[in-house]
Amino acid sequence: SDGRQPFQVYAKPYDQSDKRRRIGIVINGLGLSDAATETAIQGLPGAITLAFAPYSKRLKEWIRFARAAGHEVLINVPMERADYPTYIPGPYTLMTTLDSKKNLEHLLWNLGRGIGYVGVVDYYGSRFTASRTHMKPILREIKRRGLLYLDSGISRQSTALSISRQLEIPVAQATLTLDGVISRRNIDIKFFELEQHALKNGKAIGMASPYPVSLERIAAWAPRLEARGYAIVPITAIARAGN
């Protein structure tokens, strides 16, 4: 009622005058495995953003713990994938076969599962995000609720960036997925690619799942970045700059 917006109120403080190249890391799908979620919250630097699955039975508790440990929080909103129906990400998935009213009901169910988050990230919704007709009402509601939007970057056909900019929503897009192939060697290669992208563009965002090897490699890699002139930053530090 006083005009404050969640993406500002729940943001982790960051010095916007810091000129170092910015790298954001987002861990997706947390809250379903207690062990992985505890490892991410306690074992990763606070500047790393944590995204929680709306189906987590302990979602409000996990968000509280994550924020207490210094992390910014996002909510994963499941959206229709290109391989649907081979993979169905839950009963409250946003679908291109549903009308906007039903999709908005699904969105509000997902958003209503917790509080204290700065924004939304699609849960690999490659088919849904490619549909401008279906994305626009969703992003309009996200704006109305004062949230930022992070596009997972899983689809080159995603309309999320152009619509978000049109609606003047704080927005960012993931640069790459760190653990598409789950091995130490591949993840380390992706770290190098992420750094190169940030070197060229001033910022980059890497997405990862809470696999043990992913969390282990990220925890080892992140502390070494500062010496090379990079800063690990919360997602709001990039979404604001991007807008």
Side-chain angles (χ1 to χ4, degrees), residues 109-215:
W109 184 90
N110 285 284
L111 297 183
R113 297 284 292 150
I115 58 173
Y117 50 87
V118 297
V120 164
V121 53
D122 69 281
Y123 196 66
Y124 301 125
S126 50
R127 181 174 294 169
F128 191 89
T129 59
S131 171
R132 193 173 189 89
T133 300
H134 290 87
M135 279 298 292
K136 194 161 189 177
I138 297 303
L139 289 168
R140 191 179 290 120
E141 182 63 21
I142 286 171
K143 177 183 179 178
R144 192 176 78 82
R145 292 177 173 269
L147 301 166
L148 67 82
Y149 183 79
L150 173 63
D151 186 274
S152 65
I154 201 71
S155 171
R156 293 183 179 179
Q157 284 74 47
S158 175
T159 60
L161 276 183
S162 62
I163 296 173
S164 295
R165 287 168 177 160
Q166 179 186 2
L167 296 175
E168 298 183 335
I169 300 171
V171 63
Q173 185 176 55
T175 308
L176 53 81
T177 299
L178 293 167
D179 50 8
V181 176
I182 308 168
S183 72
R184 285 179 171 81
R185 182 175 182 275
N186 179 74
I187 292 170
D188 289 347
I189 289 171
K190 291 298 181 181
F191 287 151
F192 176 76
E193 292 178 10
L194 196 65
E195 289 181 38
Q196 291 303 300
H197 187 91
L199 185 65
K200 180 179 179 181
N201 298 284
K203 59 189 177 184
I205 299 172
M207 304 279 282
S209 295
Y211 304 125
V213 66
S214 303
L215 299 179

